[in-house]
Amino acid sequence: MSSQTYSISDLARELDITTRAIRFYEEQGLLAPERRGQERIYSPRDKVSLKLILRGKRIGFSLAECRELIELYDPSSGNLKQLHSMLAKIAERREQLEQQLLDIEQMKLELDTAEERCTQALQQTIQNQNSTAQ
């Protein structure tokens, strides 16, 4: 692994996030930068972890799931455990999204039915009022 290090502003700029977000992930125990006085020094591992967190957020992983994946990070083994876990989480997330799509389609049908009933009831009420007024 490279011995390059990053400041918090380097990572924020490179990954297009705020320093506040980086500090939040650090507070959550997802990042562990070295300290030189008040300055945070981030390693390449921290950068990889941060990329994983951001990718995980984009695809709907919780911070706990991101933490699990980060804890499995082991470049010496080719990250086999991490990759297997990531694939399992992706499959699980895909299944959740498929179920949500089915739920949304069902909800749309329910809305259509409710709308149709309301429209019919409204038309009936208007007709009753018109016939009473005559």
Side-chain angles (χ1 to χ4, degrees), residues 23-75:
R23 285 191 297 273
F24 171 78
Y25 296 132
E26 183 182 340
E27 289 167 10
Q28 297 300 309
L30 297 168
L31 301 172
E34 288 182 37
R35 295 275 189 162
R36 285 193 202 135
Q38 292 286 14
E39 187 180 10
R40 293 169 168 90
I41 307 297
Y42 294 89
S43 68
R45 180 184 179 106
D46 290 318
K47 182 179 175 182
V48 169
S49 295
L50 195 49
K51 284 181 172 181
L52 187 59
I53 293 164
L54 297 173
R55 182 178 302 126
K57 276 184 52 183
R58 281 193 306 271
I59 58 178
F61 290 172
S62 69
L63 285 182
E65 289 171 313
C66 291
R67 178 179 285 111
E68 277 180 52
L69 292 169
I70 289 167
E71 289 171 356
L72 293 173
Y73 179 71
D74 180 13

Side-chain angles (χ1 to χ4, degrees), residues 75-87:
S76 67
S77 72
N79 292 310
L80 286 175
K81 287 182 181 177
Q82 185 188 48
L83 292 169
H84 284 296
S85 182
M86 180 81 159
L87 285 171

